[in-house]
Structure formats: C-alpha cells, structure tokens
Amino acid sequence: MAVPITSLRGRHYVGDLETKIVHDVIHEDPTPEGCKIWELVRSGRAVGFESDRLQQALREGYTPCPKCLYNYQLRRPAFTQRFLKGVGE
Ligand SMILES: [Zn+2]
C-alpha cells in the first residue's frame, strides 16, 4: 500500500506519485540533476510503502529510479542466474 508521507524519517523507499518512480533514499543521487527526493516530499508528491520494500513498490506499478536504483536492472539477472543454477538457497 502506498501512503502519502511528509517526512523521510525511517523511510528506505520513496515513490513519486506523478511519475510513478521509486527512489532509494539511502542511495539518493544528491547532484542537481539527481533524485530530489526532498522536493517530492515538499510538493506533496512523495509516498511511502507498506511494507517499505522495493518489491512492494514494484508490485504497485512503480519504476526503479535509474539514478539511485541504477544497478537494480543489473542485479536482477544475476539473481535469476543463481536461481536457475540452483546455487544458494
Ligand atoms: Zn532516485
């Protein structure tokens, strides 16, 4: 469930209601062309997720931010490969 938030406290993932992009607060791109997560909060476009997990955001139709979650697309095939090989759990 996505809920409007007015603070980043205790949040790991924050979504943009307008663009449907989800950001990783811990790895935010702080450059002028970066995520600007705080601006989302200030403009009332920020949502948090219950539970506060990337999978939850994706399930609700949010797209991983290409800046702070840039390696998400790379990570996924690696996980899949491991799964197919039966390595790990
Ligand atoms: Zn971002």
Side-chain angles (χ1 to χ4, degrees):
M1 190 169 83
V3 291
I5 56 171
T6 54
S7 156
L8 293 177
R9 186 199 295 234
R11 290 286 166 190
H12 189 172
Y13 296 103
V14 171
D16 181 338
L17 260 182
E18 214 163 89
T19 61
K20 289 278 182 178
I21 287 175
V22 56
H23 298 275
D24 178 341
V25 175
I26 292 167
H27 300 107
E28 176 178 7
D29 176 355
T31 64
E33 301 304 313
C35 300
K36 300 179 179 162
I37 296 175
W38 180 240
E39 280 187 24
L40 293 181
V41 175
R42 263 204 319 229
S43 62
R45 281 160 55 193
V47 291
F49 301 95
E50 305 292 343
S51 57
D52 192 7
R53 300 179 59 214
L54 182 58
Q55 285 306 324
Q56 182 63 30
L58 300 180
R59 213 175 287 143
E60 298 190 26
Y62 282 78
T63 307
C65 170
K67 289 160 189 158
C68 55
L69 289 166
Y70 68 97
N71 61 345
Y72 171 73
Q73 300 293 346
L74 301 176
R75 244 175 6 216
R76 208 158 110 173
F79 276 136
T80 308
Q81 272 175 20
R82 231 172 56 167
F83 176 73
L84 290 174
K85 283 187 204 152
V87 180
E89 329 178 335

